[in-house]
Amino acid sequence: MADATEAGRPIALVDSHTHIDMPDFDADRAEVVARAREAGLAEMLVVGEVDENGGLERALRVAGGLGLPVTAGVHPHQAKLANEATYDLIRGLARDGRIVAIGEVGLDFHYDYSPRDTQRAVFRRQVRLARDVGLPLVVHTREADDETAALLEEEGARETGGVIHCFTGGPQLARRALALGFYISFSGIMTFPRAEGIQQVARDVSEDRLLVETDAPFLAPPPHRGKRNEPAFVVEVARKLGALRGTTLEAIGLAARRNYARLFRRPL
Ligand SMILES: [Zn+2]
Ligand SMILES: [Zn+2]
């Protein structure tokens, strides 16, 4: 995408986590991407998820068609679907240079869509896979701060690095993730009422470790709350992060873009 620093254009941002491959965008994906460019997005990362409906293949196809980077992984919700063929598929994509990260992977003890033991085993396996192929991790964790941090520590995730995406954890998770060299990515959840704990982490995290994301189509930030989220709205996340940290939207955009480029080895 075009660099958006020229006069009259907004600053260059990145959306470090989107699901624009999902059917929610089938009717108007081109317009969504055009609006993202218009809003100043330099790039967005498409997160590919193994599921029963060919979700990973769809993400690869959509991202390929748009010239966007893509990840591959088994989400904790889908952990019960993982088998050896799944890991072989992800490993092959990594070896072929078709993906930039392993994820999203992790633990979700809020919804428990897969049994917790299965979630743990599949997460552990994918951290090892990331080390094998030398790619960073995109980690999803919900109501599982301690176990997520412990597993990453035990499995040597310091070696791969990665990001805790859509951060909703407490200060201890942030501290332990940062100690492993991870980044913290903030989403629209940070802008919601009763997000004081997340906002405190957002104030404290050092500038060279923060990222911003939409997780579109989920979690639209105000003033779009309740609607379908889309990558252009990452501007609102960055604006809020800037306000919390007493800095500008431009400064957040620049820092987040640099961090994104470093983590995912993108030429931005
Ligand atoms: Zn997630
Ligand atoms: Zn996601």
Side-chain angles (χ1 to χ4, degrees):
M1 290 188 192
D3 190 276
T5 50
E6 60 264 38
R9 298 290 304 270
I11 44 83
L13 276 166
V14 289
D15 183 352
S16 74
H17 192 112
T18 70
H19 298 279
I20 57 165
D21 60 298
M22 285 188 171
D24 308 65
F25 296 106
D26 279 354
D28 63 345
R29 189 170 288 110
E31 288 90 333
V32 166
V33 172
R35 279 198 293 275
R37 288 202 179 101
E38 202 56 35
L41 267 72
E43 192 166 276
M44 60 195 100
L45 178 58
V46 180
V47 176
E49 293 181 19
V50 171
D51 66 16
E52 283 160 317
N53 306 309
L56 176 57
E57 292 73 16
R58 184 186 64 216
L60 291 165
R61 187 174 64 245
V62 168
L66 294 168
L68 295 173
V70 63
T71 73
V74 183
H75 191 287
H77 290 345
Q78 310 290 350
K80 55 182 181 272
L81 299 178
N83 56 39
E84 287 309 311
T86 316
Y87 303 128
D88 287 347
L89 171 66
I90 297 170
R91 187 177 292 105
L93 291 167
R95 296 246 154 95
D96 292 346
R98 294 187 61 197
I99 56 175
V100 300
I102 303 298
E104 53 192 290
V105 302
L107 301 173
D108 193 314
F109 294 168
H110 180 73
Y111 288 106
D112 282 327
Y113 287 152
S114 285
R116 292 187 180 182
D117 273 345
T118 309
Q119 292 190 41
R120 292 180 181 106
V122 172
F123 182 27
R124 190 176 297 279
R125 186 68 194 266
Q126 291 182 103
V127 175
R128 291 179 185 174
L129 197 161
R131 285 183 60 186
D132 280 354
V133 299
L135 285 181
L137 288 157
V138 175
V139 174
H140 170 112
T141 177
R142 188 120 188 242
E143 294 176 20
D145 282 19
D146 284 351
E147 283 204 45
T148 299
L151 193 150
L152 290 170
E153 288 160 3
E154 283 163 27
E155 293 298 333
R158 176 190 303 278
E159 215 177 275
T160 68
V163 54
I164 307 294
H165 109 85
C166 190
F167 189 83
T168 58
Q172 289 304 317
L173 175 63
R175 187 185 56 73
R176 291 168 79 179
L178 292 167
L180 288 170
F182 272 56
Y183 294 75
I184 308 283
S185 183
F186 297 98
S187 71
I189 287 186
M190 175 192 59
T191 66
F192 295 171
R194 294 190 301 279
E196 292 89 355
I198 302 169
Q199 292 177 3
Q200 191 55 50
V201 172
R203 285 187 196 96
D204 290 346
V205 64
S206 75
E207 194 183 69
D208 62 350
R209 296 295 192 83
L210 58 85
L211 290 170
V212 287
E213 67 173 80
T214 59
D215 206 10
F218 313 110
L219 306 170
H224 311 288
R225 200 168 176 188
K227 292 195 281 183
R228 180 189 68 177
N229 200 359
E230 64 175 68
F233 300 165
V234 79
V235 174
E236 304 308 328
V237 178
R239 195 189 310 282
K240 177 70 179 183
L241 191 52
L244 286 170
R245 296 170 63 90
T247 184
T248 61
L249 170 62
E250 287 75 12
I252 295 295
L254 187 62
R257 189 170 84 155
R258 276 196 192 123
N259 296 340
Y260 171 94
R262 191 184 315 118
L263 174 60
F264 297 114
R265 301 166 200 157
R266 298 296 299 162
L268 290 176

